[in-house]
Amino acid sequence: MLHLIVRAFAVAILFLTTAAAAQAASSGPPATFKLANGLQVVVIEDHRAPVVTHMVWYRCGAADETRGHSGIAHFLEHLMFKGTDRIASGDFSKIVARQGGQDNAFTTHDETVYWQRVARDRLGLVMDLESDRMAHLKLTDKVVLPERDVILEERRMRVDNNPSSLLSEQMSAALYLNHPYGIPVIGWFHEMQKLTRADAEAWYNAHYGPNNAILIVAGDVTVDEVKTLAEKYYGPVAARPVPPRWRPGEPPPIAARRVTLVDARATQSYFSREYLTPSYRTEKGREAYALEVGAEILGGGATSRLYRALVEDRKLAAEASASYSGNDYDYSTFSIDLTPRSGVALAALEAAGDKVIADFLKTGPTAEEMKRAISRLRAAAIYARDSQNTMAQIYGFGLIDGQTIDEIYKWPDVIATVKAEEVAAAMREFLKPERSVTGLLTAKAEGAQ
Amino acid sequence: MTLRTLTLAIVALFAFVLPASAATKPVVVKSPDGIEAWLVEDHGLPALAMSVGFVGGSTRESKGKEGEGTLLGMMLDEGAGQYNDRAFKQQLADRSISLSFSCDRDAFYIGLTTLTENRSDAFRLMALALAKPRFDAQSLVRAKDQLRVAQRQVDDDPESLASELWYATAFPNHPYGNPLYGTPQSIGKLTRADLQAAMKAMMTRDRMRVVVVGDIDAETLASTLDNLFASLPAKGQPLVAPPQMAPATLKVIERNNPQTAAVFGLPGLARSDPDFMAAYIVNYVLGGGSFSSRLMDEVREKRGLVYGISTGLDPFFIGGGDLEGSFGTKNETAGQALDLTRSVMQNLVAKGITAKELADAKTYLTGSFALRFDTNAKIARQLLTFALQDQPPEYVENRNKEVEAVTLADVNRAAKRLLDPKRLVVLMVGKPQGVKP
C-alpha cells in the first residue's frame, strides 16, 4: 500500500513502479554505517552535478497508528515544519529556500520521510536543521489548529473531490479485514477532525529518534564527508525508547469481495482489482520477484497481454494495466486497472479481463515474454540511476521495508534469474478470487436507465 | 540565542555562489544539411535523452479541429513504414526505448530515451515514425476512443477541469484557448488526411529545436540529425499572434464537490520583455515560492484555508504570456480565499516588495538553478525550454546574472504592471459560496 501523501502542493513526487529497481553505481553498493545513537547512514555517491539529496526516513507510518487516531502520522509530518526552540514556525523551508534549496516531506503506511535538495556545500546546514527538529520540536495550539484545517483541505482535494480516489480507499478497506493498511494514510475525515496537539506530541515522542531513522545522502559527496557531518549534527541526538513494530495480521482470505461506488460525478466508469500478496520482506521464496515479472508481462505497457487483448483486439478498453510493487512492510498488492471505452459495460470488460488472467494462469509466460520482461525491468534499473533522488528513494523504501542494501543492489541480477515456472506458480498462488477485492466506479448503477 | 543559531544566521548572510560546473553550457552541433542541435555530452550512464520541440503546438489547429495536436501525438507511435501498430511498439519495447509525442498550447514535442546499446535502433525507429507514419484506420479509431475517455477524465477531475476551462474563458477567440483533448464533436470528425496535414503544419524545421544529453559525441550526433529530420518540411506558416486575455470575469461551473477548485489569472509578460525577470521575481514573492510566498503564508499558514496555493509566470512560446494561479478550498470559504488572494496582490503593489524579500528571492532562484540540471532527462527538457524561448546556448551561464541584476525599483515597477486584481479572470469548479466578481 504505497500511498504517498506529500506536504506541499504542486511538487511532483516520483512513483516507483519497479520498486527496488536499481544498482547504485557501477562501482558497487552504497556505503553504510551506524552512529553510536543507532542512526543508520547510507551514502550513494553520484558526482555528475554538484548537488546533494539529504533524506531522513523514520520507521513509522500510518499503519503504526493507534485505532481512532487515523491520520496522525501524516499530521505530524506537517507539524514538523512548525518550529523548535531555535527555528520559528515556518522558517525551516524558508531557510532552505534562501540557500537555493528545495525541501518537502511525505508519509506512507510504513514510513515518514523528510528531504532537502541543496548545493553540495549546504549539506551541513540541512543536517543542522533536520537533526534539530529530530529532538526539539515545539508545538502550540496556535500553529497546530490551522494546520489541521490544512490536512482536511488536503483530504478534500485528494480524496473527497475525486471519485476514483474514494473507490481506491473503499477497496483497501475491504481488502484488509484486520491489518491497518485498510485505513487511509491521510486518515478518515471524522477522526482527522479530532486530532489534537497532545496526539501529535505523543506520536512524535514515541517514534522520532535517531535509533528509529535512516539517513540517506545521495549526490556529490564522499563517505568520509558524510561521516564527519553526520557525527557532528546527528551524533549528539540521544536515542529514545521506540515501541516494537507490530501490526495485526490478516486472517486467511476466504471470500472474494466487491465494492461498487455509484457516484453521479463520475462520467467515466472504471474497473479495478487488487489481490493480497506478500512483499519483498514477507515473501517465503522469490514470489515478489516473480510477481514483478508477472505484472510486466500481464499489464506492463502497450505490448502486454491485457493491453493487446482488451485495448487492441477486443476494443473494450481505453486503458489496461497491471502492476505490482513489493515495497511494503507487511503485505503488498497485485493490481489490475481497466478503463472501458464509451458504451462498454463494466461487466463485459471484467469478463474479458478475467479471461486474459485465466489464460495466463493456465499457460504461464512464454520464454519470449520472460526474456522481454526481464530486459525491460533491467533497463528501468539503469534509467533509474540517472536521478540521485530516485536512487535515494529506492534505497529508502527498500531498507525501511525490510530489504538489505545488498539485496537492493543485486535486484537487477536476481530479477534476471527468475524462471517462467516461478512466475506461473506465484501468479497461480496469489491471483485467486478469494484473495481479491474488485472495485467498480460508475455514475449510476449498471442496468439502471 | 544559542551558538548554533548564531552560526546559522551567519551562513545565511553569504550570497549564494553557483558552482561553475552546475549548469553546463551545451555545444551547438550542426549536421551536413544544416540542422542544429544542442548537445551536453555525459558518459556517466550508458544512455541518452533527446528532447525536440516545435513552437506553435495546438495554436496551429484550425477551427473545428480542436484536439488535433494531441491526437497526432497519440498516432505517431502507432506504426510506421513496414511495422504495423503492434510491431512498432514491440520494436520499441524489446529495446527499452521510450519514444513519445505530445502537444500543448506552446509546442509539439518529441521525447526519446535509449540505452547506448540500442541507440542506432532508437534513431532508426524515430526517423521512420517521422518519415512514414501509418495512421492506420484501426489505430485511429482506438486513439479517438482513448481521447474521448481522456476528455471525461478531465471532466471528472476538478483541478484539470478548472484549468482547461480557465483557458477557454481567458482566451475565448484564440486557439490558445482550445481544449487540448478537443471535444467529442471535433475529435469525431478528424480523418487520416487531417493528421497528415496537421503534421505538416505543426512539425516544421524552421520552428524546431533539438537538445541531446548523455552518452553520444558531437560527430555521431551530427551525422544522425539529417536522417532523423530530413523528412520534415523546411518551412511552415507564420505563427498566430499572441492571445489577448479576456476582460475580468468570474465563472462558476457547478459540481457537487465538497471543495471548490479555483484557477485565476492575469495578463503576463513576454519572455522578451525587459521587465520579464523582474516580474518573475514578483511571481516568486506572490505565489511562486512555495512556503516562502505571501499567498502560501496568508492563505494556508495563517488561516488553514487551503492545502496549496501557487502562481506561475508563464511566457508563451508564440509570444505574450500570463500569470496563472490555483487553489482548492471548501465551498464555504471560497469567497474568503479569493478575497484574500486579491488583497495580497493589492497589498504587494501598494506597499511593494521589501529589500529582504528581493534578496531571498534572488538567493533561491540563483541557488536552485543548479537543481534543474541534475539528471540527463531534466537537463534535456530544461535546455529545450530555453531553446524554444529563443535563448542562446550561453543563456545557462548568463541566466543567474540576469536575476542578480534586478533591482528593487525594477520589481516594484513590474509588480504595478503585472498585478491588477481588477483584471482577474477566475474560474471555479464546485459550489463556491460568497464569491464576488
Side-chain angles (χ1 to χ4, degrees):
Chain A
M1 293 274 73
L2 179 59
H3 286 168
L4 299 182
I5 301 292
V6 302
R7 169 172 167 258
F9 189 64
V11 174
I13 234 345
L14 219 138
F15 255 94
L16 302 166
T17 47
T18 56
Q23 277 173 310
S26 42
S27 53
T32 183
F33 55 90
K34 232 176 201 181
L35 301 189
N37 59 15
L39 180 71
Q40 186 184 355
V41 185
V42 177
V43 185
I44 306 168
E45 292 190 43
D46 173 358
H47 300 284
R48 292 176 303 155
V51 171
V52 291
T53 298
H54 170 261
M55 304 182 109
V56 170
W57 296 66
Y58 289 97
R59 298 176 188 274
C60 60
D64 301 302
E65 294 165 346
T66 49
R67 283 274 161 154
H69 293 80
S70 63
I72 192 66
H74 169 251
F75 190 26
L76 196 270
E77 174 222 309
H78 279 235
L79 296 175
M80 284 288 277
F81 294 84
K82 296 302 181 187
T84 63
D85 290 329
R86 287 169 57 206
I87 306 296
S89 179
D91 276 4
F92 190 105
S93 299
K94 286 176 189 156
I95 292 169
V96 173
R98 277 203 291 274
Q99 300 299 320
Q102 295 165 345
D103 75 316
N104 212 330
F106 59 87
T107 307
T108 76
H109 277 117
D110 297 322
E111 51 263 297
T112 312
V113 186
Y114 302 84
W115 61 265
Q116 301 87 31
R117 300 180 61 237
V118 288
R120 65 180 316 285
D121 59 346
R122 296 304 194 265
L123 180 58
L125 174 105
V126 292
M127 281 196 183
D128 190 6
L129 290 168
E130 194 64 79
S131 60
D132 175 48
R133 69 178 171 181
M134 183 181 275
H136 303 296
L137 181 67
K138 199 175 74 180
L139 297 177
T140 61
D141 280 345
K142 187 167 174 282
V143 297
V144 168
L145 298 178
E147 198 63 26
R148 190 173 63 191
D149 290 335
V150 169
I151 57 169
L152 290 169
E153 289 295 355
E154 182 177 359
R155 188 189 151 90
R156 288 187 189 99
M157 173 173 278
R158 290 183 188 283
V159 185
D160 301 314
N161 251 20
N162 189 329
S164 56
S165 299
L166 285 169
L167 176 69
S168 158
E169 201 173 75
Q170 295 292 314
M171 287 175 66
S172 294
L175 184 66
Y176 292 100
L177 301 174
N178 197 42
H179 189 281
Y181 285 170
I183 299 168
V185 172
I186 195 153
W188 297 116
F189 198 96
H190 65 285
E191 293 184 349
M192 295 166 70
Q193 282 178 307
K194 291 187 185 147
L195 295 174
T196 64
R197 175 167 62 90
D199 293 331
E201 286 166 347
W203 178 260
Y204 175 74
N205 291 331
H207 296 285
Y208 280 61
N211 47 318
N212 203 32
I214 302 172
L215 168 67
I216 300 184
V217 181
D220 191 15
V221 282
T222 65
V223 178
D224 286 343
E225 285 169 324
V226 173
K227 204 171 250 173
T228 306
L229 291 170
E231 288 286 2
K232 179 177 174 189
Y233 293 109
Y234 290 98
V237 182
R240 298 189 200 185
V242 171
R245 199 160 214 198
W246 180 86
R247 285 93 173 257
E250 282 295 299
I254 54 169
R257 278 138 281 171
R258 288 180 84 76
V259 171
T260 305
L261 178 63
V262 179
D263 188 323
R265 296 175 297 171
T267 61
Q268 175 61 49
S269 57
Y270 173 65
F271 171 95
S272 179
R273 180 176 295 150
E274 293 195 353
Y275 297 91
L276 187 67
T277 69
S279 65
Y280 276 103
R281 188 177 78 92
T282 55
E283 64 180 356
K284 292 196 188 70
R286 309 204 300 175
E287 298 92 338
Y289 292 89
L291 289 171
E292 196 129 16
V293 176
E296 180 67 23
I297 295 169
L298 185 62
T303 53
S304 67
R305 287 197 181 196
L306 280 170
Y307 190 92
R308 285 190 165 177
L310 304 183
V311 180
E312 291 184 349
D313 293 341
R314 305 218 32 211
K315 304 176 175 48
L316 296 169
E319 298 161 6
S321 65
S323 64
Y324 170 80
S325 160
N327 270 96
D328 299 284
Y329 193 73
D330 293 313
Y331 302 95
S332 287
T333 55
F334 188 106
S335 41
I336 311 274
D337 290 280
L338 309 175
T339 310
R341 296 204 205 181
S342 307
V344 174
L346 287 174
L349 187 58
E350 178 175 4
D354 276 337
K355 174 146 195 328
V356 176
I357 295 168
D359 287 348
F360 188 52
L361 297 185
K362 195 169 154 199
T363 61
T366 66
E368 188 64 20
E369 283 176 325
M370 286 297 294
K371 194 175 136 229
R372 288 171 159 165
I374 286 170
S375 140
R376 283 197 300 277
L377 289 169
R378 285 172 59 83
I382 298 176
Y383 287 130
R385 284 162 48 197
D386 191 21
S387 164
Q388 56 174 243
N389 192 35
T390 303
M391 294 304 294
Q393 288 202 34
I394 285 168
Y395 280 96
F397 282 118
L399 286 169
I400 295 266
D401 296 329
Q403 292 181 281
T404 65
I405 286 191
D406 209 44
E407 283 168 345
I408 300 166
Y409 179 72
K410 289 190 175 140
W411 184 92
D413 297 334
V414 176
I415 208 86
T417 66
V418 172
K419 302 278 176 293
E421 308 82 74
E422 288 178 281
V423 174
M427 300 283 274
R428 282 172 199 143
E429 183 176 355
F430 296 109
L431 270 61
K432 286 179 179 156
E434 63 268 29
R435 302 191 67 89
S436 77
V437 57
T438 299
L440 308 173
L441 173 64
T442 59
K444 51 186 173 186
E446 282 198 352
Q449 290 303 308
Chain B
M1 186 187 278
T2 66
L3 186 60
R4 287 170 75 200
T5 325
L6 187 64
T7 316
L8 200 66
I10 291 170
V11 168
L13 288 177
F14 289 107
F16 191 91
V17 182
L18 181 69
S21 54
T24 316
K25 188 182 104 175
V27 298
V28 179
V29 171
K30 207 167 188 171
S31 75
D33 289 350
I35 296 177
E36 284 189 4
W38 289 6
L39 170 65
V40 177
E41 246 185 275
D42 180 295
H43 303 287
L45 280 181
L48 69 78
M50 173 183 275
S51 288
V52 184
F54 302 83
V55 173
S58 63
T59 64
R60 297 285 201 188
E61 292 166 355
S62 48
K63 196 124 186 106
K65 297 191 191 295
E66 297 83 8
E68 197 176 44
T70 299
L71 188 66
L72 174 63
M74 294 169 76
M75 288 295 292
L76 276 171
D77 66 350
E78 287 284 334
Q82 69 272 37
Y83 304 115
N84 67 9
D85 51 353
R86 190 166 280 191
F88 192 77
K89 286 179 218 166
Q90 191 75 63
Q91 288 278 319
L92 295 172
D94 283 353
R95 295 164 181 80
S96 298
I97 296 164
S98 159
L99 174 63
S100 63
F101 302 88
S102 63
C103 183
D104 70 15
R105 295 181 164 82
D106 289 299
F108 189 92
Y109 301 93
I110 308 172
L112 177 75
T113 52
T114 179
L115 302 179
T116 304
E117 63 186 77
N118 298 319
R119 194 171 70 196
S120 54
D121 280 326
F123 290 148
R124 172 179 63 85
L125 292 164
M126 179 170 148
L128 196 62
L130 295 180
K132 294 177 180 168
R134 288 168 65 121
F135 301 139
D136 284 340
Q138 59 168 8
S139 300
L140 186 57
V141 169
R142 180 169 61 240
K144 285 182 176 190
D145 281 1
Q146 288 171 326
L147 204 44
R148 181 72 194 100
V149 166
Q151 289 166 1
R152 282 197 291 262
Q153 287 169 336
V154 168
D155 208 50
D156 291 353
D157 176 45
E159 289 167 74
S160 308
L161 182 66
S163 174
E164 277 296 296
L165 294 179
W166 182 83
Y167 279 102
T169 308
F171 308 112
N173 300 309
H174 190 284
Y176 211 84
N178 285 359
L180 279 178
Y181 293 167
T183 64
Q185 296 73 27
S186 69
I187 295 301
K189 280 186 276 187
L190 291 173
T191 64
R192 184 169 190 269
D194 287 325
L195 290 180
Q196 287 164 331
M199 189 175 175
K200 282 204 179 77
M202 289 182 185
M203 302 170 73
T204 61
R205 280 188 273 136
D206 56 336
R207 303 288 175 195
M208 179 175 81
R209 300 289 182 272
V210 181
V211 178
V212 180
V213 180
D215 188 18
I216 188 169
D217 61 59
E219 205 180 328
T220 311
L221 178 60
S223 67
T224 302
L225 290 169
D226 291 331
N227 282 338
L228 279 178
F229 301 113
S231 61
L232 301 178
K235 227 172 139 32
Q237 294 296 310
L239 295 167
V240 295
Q244 301 295 314
M245 196 175 291
T249 179
L250 171 73
K251 195 166 174 180
V252 174
I253 306 298
E254 283 241 351
R255 284 285 192 282
N256 197 16
N257 292 332
Q259 188 184 70
T260 293
V263 174
F264 55 92
L266 291 167
L269 272 61
R271 184 61 192 87
S272 55
D273 192 295
D275 274 340
F276 180 84
M277 200 49 94
Y280 190 68
I281 290 176
V282 171
N283 172 65
Y284 179 83
V285 174
L286 173 70
S290 189
F291 287 95
S292 299
S293 76
R294 289 193 187 186
L295 283 173
M296 197 72 144
D297 202 43
E298 293 293 330
V299 189
R300 167 168 162 160
E301 296 293 287
K302 286 192 185 146
R303 295 176 181 84
L305 292 176
V306 299
Y307 169 53
I309 180 164
S310 64
T311 61
L313 187 71
D314 188 14
F316 305 156
F317 295 162
I318 59 168
D322 68 9
L323 177 118
E324 277 168 66
S326 64
F327 63 80
T329 188
K330 58 189 176 297
N331 293 327
E332 296 82 352
T333 48
Q336 188 189 351
L338 182 60
D339 289 347
L340 201 52
T341 300
R342 287 189 169 116
S343 76
V344 167
M345 286 185 181
Q346 252 150 8
N347 190 273
L348 195 154
V349 174
K351 299 199 178 142
I353 284 172
T354 67
K356 181 165 188 311
E357 282 176 320
L358 175 61
D360 287 350
K362 283 183 179 180
T363 56
Y364 175 76
L365 293 171
T366 55
S368 65
F369 192 55
L371 303 183
R372 302 190 202 174
F373 293 86
D374 67 341
T375 76
N376 288 348
K378 272 167 74 182
I379 296 171
R381 286 195 300 271
Q382 179 62 66
L383 291 178
L384 180 66
T385 299
F386 293 152
L388 290 169
Q389 289 172 341
D390 275 334
Q391 301 289 356
E394 334 31 281
Y395 181 70
V396 289
E397 292 173 344
N398 299 333
R399 182 265 189 190
N400 276 358
K401 290 177 213 155
E402 202 185 323
V403 175
E404 293 291 357
V406 174
T407 66
L408 203 55
D410 292 336
V411 287
N412 286 320
R413 179 181 65 248
K416 283 198 179 71
R417 284 184 65 189
L418 192 64
L419 301 181
D420 178 2
K422 292 195 190 64
R423 286 227 52 186
L424 269 188
V425 173
V426 183
L427 192 295
M428 289 182 163
V429 173
K431 288 193 162 180
Q433 295 174 16
V435 291
K436 303 182 286 280

